[in-house]
């Protein structure tokens, strides 16, 4: 198919280049799946889920902070919990040799995870 | 110069096409599972999970300002 | 014959609606050159071809070929494209699938009839992003500091997160105002819209529109006028596409 579907484009399409490269990597990693990388696929999925939950908790925490109704002690505890979660996440990523971009799956209406 | 724009348009078109067939369209569980579809199924489950979480999040956010919530 | 079936799309059938299944050839060449044919039931058809799972690799080339089949079918059918990678054991299994989801398919086909899908991506110069963020952040940083005060590492961490969060919220507000503007321009074309905000630091909006075929030129005109009003944004509009983004019968 040699059709051109581009109807309108402003800018030099160079800013697309970065997006396209990222996307191309995602495409090839999905489409070239084989038994050898299925395992890392599973790890990716599990960590993505955990990361999603962590980000949701972070978001909730921000909303609570903006609500202004937390005591100083609660704020301390919140900070500590979020810090620990993030540290743990970094550890897990290192163990499975995954980077942020690897966990960045398309969540439909929520956009990308990161 | 013109030619590079045309080539870029083609590249963009190709990527858009791939994005569509791999990430969009009707999603039905076939009884045969092949590697691409295999990974796909897992993501399908995740998509449905995420939509429910988002709705839950929306509902909670609207009450977050007025009431106390345990994290 | 025992070959598995690759499903390309669900189309409105040109067979009369009835309860007994019909199979007939479709004049489009499928994956690995296999002939496509229709499995029809009650007014809808699944377009399939035999697939040799040993012989044919599932790679970029076959994905593009798959898309090509859909484009060709879209020329003369009301169509719901399947996601690449949908396979069934037999014609009978395909038929079961059709029967099971018949109502949803019919409903969805009705939604996309005579319509095209378009994709609008809005990019922001990431340098511009930086400077815009910096100028807004003075105010939001102050707000954040009022809410979180303390000197422990935990509160410092939290303050940092809160500042980031506020910056993101401001950005989101800006993107939402852009969406508002586009919606205003398109309201007379009655589109269905799905959009994702802040996909990345530079891709600030990724939206798909479904509208009547007759509005194609009017739509391009409106997007172009939006483009002219925002010199600092880069737009990419592609289409017309078969309704990939509006085809999913399970979408919540």
């Amino acid at each position: 198919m040699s059709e051109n579907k581009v109807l309108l484009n402003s800018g030099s399409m160079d800013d697309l280049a970065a997006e396209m490269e990222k996307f191309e990597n995602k495409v090839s990693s999905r489409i070239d799946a084989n038994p050898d990388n299925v395992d890392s696929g599973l790890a990716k999925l599990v960590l993505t889920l955990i990361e999603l939950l962590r980000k949701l908790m972070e978001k909730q925490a921000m909303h609570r902070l903006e609500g202004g109704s937390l005591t100083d002690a609660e704020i301390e505890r919140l900070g500590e919990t979020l810090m620990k979660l993030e540290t743990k996440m970094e550890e897990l990523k290192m163990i499975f040799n995954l980077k942020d971009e690897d966990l960045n799956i398309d969540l439909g209406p929520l956009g990308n995870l990161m | 110069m013109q030619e590079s724009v045309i080539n870029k348009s083609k590249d963009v078109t190709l990527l858009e096409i791939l994005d569509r067939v791999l990430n969009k369209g009707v999603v039905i569980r076939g009884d045969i599972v092949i590697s691409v579809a295999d990974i796909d199924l897992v993501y399908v489950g995740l998509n449905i999970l995420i939509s429910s979480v988002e709705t839950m999040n929306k509902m909670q956010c609207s009450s977050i300002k007025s009431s106390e919530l345990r994290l | 014959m025992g070959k598995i079936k690759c499903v390309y799309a669900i189309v409105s059938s040109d067979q009369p609606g009835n309860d007994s299944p019909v199979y007939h050839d479709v004049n489009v060449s499928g994956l690995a050159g296999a002939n496509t044919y229709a499995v029809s039931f009650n007014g809808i058809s699944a377009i399939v071809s035999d697939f040799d799972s040993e012989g044919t690799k599932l790679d970029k080339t076959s994905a593009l070929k798959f898309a090509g089949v859909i484009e060709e079918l879209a020329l003369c059918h009301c169509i719901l494209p399947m996601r690449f990678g949908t396979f069934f054991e037999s014609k009978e299994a395909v038929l079961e699938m059709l029967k099971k989801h018949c109502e949803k398919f019919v409903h969805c086909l009705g939604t996309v009839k005579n319509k095209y899908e378009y994709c609008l991506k809005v990019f922001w110069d990431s340098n511009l992003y930086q400077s815009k963020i910096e100028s807004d952040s003075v105010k939001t940083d102050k707000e954040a500091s009022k809410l979180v005060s303390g000197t422990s590492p935990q509160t410092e961490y939290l303050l940092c997160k809160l500042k980031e969060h506020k910056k993101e919220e401001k950005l989101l507000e800006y993107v939402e105002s852009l969406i508002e503007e586009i919606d205003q321009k398109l309201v007379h074309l009655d589109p269905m819209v799905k959009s994702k905000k802040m996909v990345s630091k530079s891709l600030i909006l990724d939206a798909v529109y479904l509208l009547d075929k007759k509005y194609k030129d009017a739509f391009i005109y409106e997007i172009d006028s939006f483009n002219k009003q925002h010199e600092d944004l880069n737009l990419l509009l592609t289409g017309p596409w078969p309704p990939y983004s509006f085809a999913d019968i399970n979408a919540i």
Side-chain angles (χ1 to χ4, degrees), chain B residues 5-6 8 16 19 22-23 25-27 30-33 37 39 41 49 52 55 58 60 62:
Chain B
V5 173
I6 295 174
K8 277 195 178 143
E16 287 282 325
D19 181 32
L22 292 178
N23 298 318
V26 183
V27 182
D31 14 340
I32 307 279
V33 175
I39 294 182
L41 283 175
L49 165 71
S52 312
T55 313
K58 268 194 194 144
Q60 285 200 318
S62 56

Side-chain angles (χ1 to χ4, degrees), chain A residues 5 7 10 15-16 19 76 86, chain C residues 123 152 157 200 234 237 240:
Chain A
K5 292 275 193 184
L7 291 170
S10 53
D15 41 14
L16 282 180
E19 292 300 324
E76 278 283 334
E86 189 165 355
Chain C
F123 294 88
S152 68
Y157 174 85
S200 77
N234 288 336
L237 181 67

